[in-house]
Amino acid sequence: QVHVVESGGGLVQAGGSLRVSCAASGRTFSSYVMGWFRQAPGKEREFVAAIRMSGGDTFYADSVKGRFTISRDNAKNTVYLQMNSLKPEDTAVYYCAVAFPSTPRIPNWTYEYDYWGQGTQVTVSS
């Protein structure tokens, strides 16, 4: 079993920055991916960014590329999502998830992730 906990959400004005964190625990980790998704009211949960914990390769959704940066701290099994130039349309609940892919591709669909956190609210005011 894997336990995933997000932190760091909040309220920020458009154009501002915010960093959310996610820590995973509960089993021996090797060759896993941690990803961020978000879900706005009335919308489907969508992929934001992901990082392979061994190697550090990353993958971003087009909507956040150039504004968001995902990074990792392997010693803490923790990932960070630095969000800059935030827009009101970035408002959502942000979820962290853990995947154990069997292929080199970084997963970006919800069904490919095995463990999820409870989510943290990010609100961007205009």
Side-chain angles (χ1 to χ4, degrees):
Q1 186 65 24
V2 176
H3 190 50
V4 181
V5 179
E6 304 97 337
S7 60
L11 173 65
V12 64
Q13 287 188 329
S17 298
L18 198 63
R19 189 178 83 158
V20 290
S21 304
C22 172
S25 62
R27 63 175 268 187
T28 301
F29 293 94
S30 64
S31 187
Y32 67 107
V33 170
M34 292 184 74
W36 286 97
F37 290 75
R38 66 187 182 186
Q39 188 166 18
K43 293 190 175 181
E44 296 286 320
R45 191 170 298 188
E46 65 174 4
F47 173 77
V48 175
I51 187 167
R52 190 179 308 278
M53 297 302 279
S54 60
D57 47 317
T58 58
F59 183 55
Y60 294 91
D62 288 343
S63 59
V64 305
K65 204 172 293 182
R67 299 189 298 123
F68 291 10
T69 301
I70 189 170
S71 60
R72 77 200 196 283
D73 182 336
N74 287 74
K76 298 180 180 179
N77 288 331
T78 297
V79 294
Y80 307 95
L81 186 67
Q82 177 67 43
M83 302 180 287
N84 298 328
S85 302
L86 282 161
K87 306 174 182 179
E89 51 263 44
D90 294 317
T91 295
V93 177
Y94 282 69
Y95 295 92
C96 180
V98 176
F100 298 91
S102 57
T103 68
R105 173 185 151 271
I106 293 180
N108 63 320
W109 296 99
T110 56
Y111 70 86
E112 296 180 295
Y113 285 78
D114 303 292
Y115 300 96
W116 293 81
Q118 80 289 347
T120 185
Q121 177 71 45
V122 172
T123 303
V124 184
S125 63
S126 58

